[in-house]
Amino acid sequence: MAKRRLLVTGSNGFVGGHLLSAAAGDPQARFEPVDFIDPATGTRPDLRNGEAVARAIAAAAPDAVVHLAAIAAPREAQKDPSQAWAVNLTGTLNLAQAILAHAPSCRLIWSGSSEVYGASFNRETLPIRETAALEPLTAYGATKAAGDILLRQMAEDGLQVAIFRPFNHTGPGQATDYVVPAFAAQIAGIEKGVQEPVLKVGNLDARRDFLDVRDVVAAYLAAAAAPGIVPGGRYNLSTADPVSIRDILDRLIALSSVEVEVVVDADRYRPNHVEVASGDNGRAFEAFGWTPRIALNDTLRDVLDFQRSLL
């Protein structure tokens, strides 16, 4: 079987790095990574530049595109919504149009977000299913919801797209803007003696599905390699087993070698507009045989070890 030409936007990011590593280590050798390069400039195209994106897709001639490039940090999107909309929505439109025009048989794997559900988490029976209304509460969630709707419409025009809605995911290499590596970095600093034994935290009460990034990229690659897809199909990536942020913290502390004092930092504290966010993952299992396989404690240990390795 010929290898599928795989293009990854955002390949330099946290998820992109793990995805390319997984593709390279795929035991069935199903993928041949191709570069996302504008031949007119020899550089990666800005997703906001439709002509550059079209040239890059035409040159790459991909069989599958995993679209990860985005303004992905919710706080960053909230600070500059215009930038988030331009990249997350207009950039996605440019990419999808380029695929339809220059690689119409190409399969697009869209990395959306569980934040598209927003207020629906407070009304629906949990774990939430893909049929729930999209009612985002953040600028980031709104951009992802708009992209979700856009791509479902474009599936009617012939776009071969699988729409994923991943819940919280973490792993080694994630930036400390996110809660798990933020805790782990502080613990590693305390162990090393470069930080006082005081661990600063925000709101610990929210409960979330937490996935390992390596399980998430396994879903994307499964969709990229599947014999066929339902164009416009939507798939939660989740555990259906939410845990509190407090539990995450307690588990990380238990994996460490030090005693710490936990202090709530007013600068880190945010109110919870959604107390519990959890998703049903049955559709992803039925379509791609996907289920999360990496235990949460193993993920947390790997994140902590990564932060230790930086000191």
Side-chain angles (χ1 to χ4, degrees):
M1 180 182 294
K3 291 184 179 182
R4 293 181 65 77
R5 291 173 60 81
L6 178 69
L7 186 151
V8 181
T9 72
S11 59
N12 287 341
F14 163 60
V15 179
H18 280 282
L19 188 140
L20 289 178
S21 292
D26 176 49
Q28 300 177 54
R30 295 171 293 183
F31 304 105
E32 176 189 356
V34 294
D35 291 330
F36 188 38
I37 297 294
D38 176 4
T41 63
T43 62
R44 295 187 183 198
D46 185 327
L47 286 171
R48 297 167 296 182
N49 184 333
E51 292 182 356
V53 170
R55 289 192 296 265
I57 290 295
D63 297 306
V65 172
V66 181
H67 182 31
L68 302 174
I71 303 298
R75 288 186 186 179
E76 185 180 351
Q78 204 70 34
K79 288 179 181 177
D80 191 352
S82 61
Q83 175 81 341
W85 281 100
V87 174
N88 295 0
L89 182 60
T90 304
T92 298
L93 172 62
N94 288 338
L95 182 66
Q97 288 181 322
I99 290 170
L100 279 176
H102 300 288
S105 64
C106 173
R107 183 174 302 170
L108 175 60
I109 310 302
W110 157 252
S111 176
S113 172
S114 62
E115 287 211 16
V116 300
Y117 294 119
S120 285
F121 283 121
N122 298 329
R123 288 194 296 272
E124 295 279 342
T125 300
L126 300 183
I128 206 165
R129 302 188 70 179
E130 291 87 351
T131 50
L134 306 189
E135 298 190 47
L137 294 170
T138 64
Y140 170 72
T143 66
K144 286 296 188 177
D148 193 300
I149 293 167
L150 166 74
L151 293 174
R152 277 187 276 160
Q153 183 279 314
M154 294 187 75
E156 297 296 323
D157 295 337
L159 184 68
Q160 300 297 306
V161 58
I163 296 167
F164 285 97
R165 297 171 181 168
F167 282 62
N168 294 59
H169 45 289
T170 189
Q174 189 177 35
T176 54
D177 296 335
Y178 297 87
V179 64
V180 174
F183 290 162
Q186 291 188 74
I187 291 170
I190 293 167
E191 289 177 339
K192 191 73 171 179
V194 297
Q195 177 175 325
E196 294 295 317
V198 176
L199 205 157
K200 295 181 179 180
V201 303
N203 193 331
L204 300 177
D205 295 332
R207 295 172 59 209
R208 301 287 186 263
D209 275 9
F210 274 92
L211 293 159
D212 192 294
V213 65
R214 292 161 290 194
D215 277 333
V216 172
V217 301
Y220 297 159
L221 291 175
I229 62 166
V230 176
R234 290 94 72 198
Y235 308 96
N236 288 336
L237 296 180
S238 55
T239 66
D241 185 20
V243 299
S244 70
I245 305 301
R246 188 180 305 276
D247 186 24
I248 294 285
L249 176 61
D250 289 344
R251 292 182 189 220
L252 281 166
I253 292 173
L255 290 168
S256 75
S257 59
V258 292
E259 292 186 3
V260 301
E261 178 187 0
V262 176
V263 174
V264 175
D265 181 356
D267 291 337
R268 299 169 187 254
Y269 193 91
R270 300 290 185 276
N272 288 326
H273 298 295
V274 173
E275 294 294 331
V276 183
S278 181
D280 182 293
N281 59 28
R283 274 193 183 180
F285 178 77
E286 292 172 6
F288 309 113
W290 179 86
T291 188
R293 301 184 186 281
I294 301 174
L296 178 57
N297 268 22
D298 292 338
T299 302
L300 298 179
R301 183 179 294 107
D302 288 348
V303 174
L304 182 55
D305 284 344
F306 178 82
Q307 292 298 328
R308 286 167 172 156
S309 74
L310 299 179
L311 299 176

